[in-house]
Amino acid sequence: MPNATLVVAAAADGYSLKSVVLWPCHKLPDELRLVLSSQLDVWGENEGWMTEALFLKYAEEVLLPGITQRRETLKKSDERCLLLLDSHSSRAQPDLWKRFADSLIDVVTFVPHTTHIAQQLNRGVFAVFKKTINANYEAPSSSSVVLRREALADVLPQALQTSLFPSTIKSSFAKSGVL
């Protein structure tokens, strides 16, 4: 079965940036275009996995501008930011890490195979997301791929919105011991 990846960035105060679903395709199917919004985007990628190029794109289009905008909103443009990441190979980009450092963003990565315990979003946000998908996804009686994607597109925005409630995000950070 093809893989899809959900990319989420959230802060300990409950704030979240735009999320992205990495979908295994070259051209985004029409039925998935329906879920695009100011809080969710879907990017096509051969395997549905994060790559160096996609992580760079996410950093340039979402993380860096989102963190800058959040600092401006909070009137803390000179404050440092702590970015917690898993140790996936797509993160090994020295030039990007320099840009983070130049932007006053300190990056800490988790030891491999510990994110299910230590990473804050795995401790709550992703659990709520999966639970909401599982509770609301109704597999079509037909084996049509288009119908399956449409059924997923129907529940994806609700699952993301539910999982990114500020209280869920804050609880995730608390469970991981970050707060």
Side-chain angles (χ1 to χ4, degrees), residues 98-175:
K98 173 134 178 41
R99 287 178 59 194
F100 284 144
D102 292 345
S103 300
L104 302 177
I105 300 171
D106 301 315
V107 181
V108 173
T109 59
F110 292 98
V111 176
H113 310 293
T114 64
T115 58
H116 65 288
I117 297 168
Q119 193 172 15
Q120 60 286 352
L121 297 182
N122 287 1
R123 297 298 308 260
V125 170
F126 291 140
V128 170
F129 178 80
K130 290 174 186 178
K131 182 179 178 182
T132 306
I133 290 282
N134 290 335
N136 295 293
Y137 176 79
E138 294 183 27
S141 56
S142 165
S143 61
S144 162
V145 172
V146 171
L147 292 178
R148 286 184 183 174
R149 284 193 301 247
E150 286 175 350
L152 180 61
D154 286 343
V155 299
L156 189 59
Q158 175 196 354
L160 188 62
Q161 181 180 13
T162 301
S163 65
L164 291 177
F165 281 144
S167 59
T168 303
I169 296 170
K170 290 176 187 177
S171 172
S172 297
F173 276 85
K175 286 177 186 176

Side-chain angles (χ1 to χ4, degrees), residues 21 61 158:
V21 174
E61 294 183 16
Q158 175 196 354

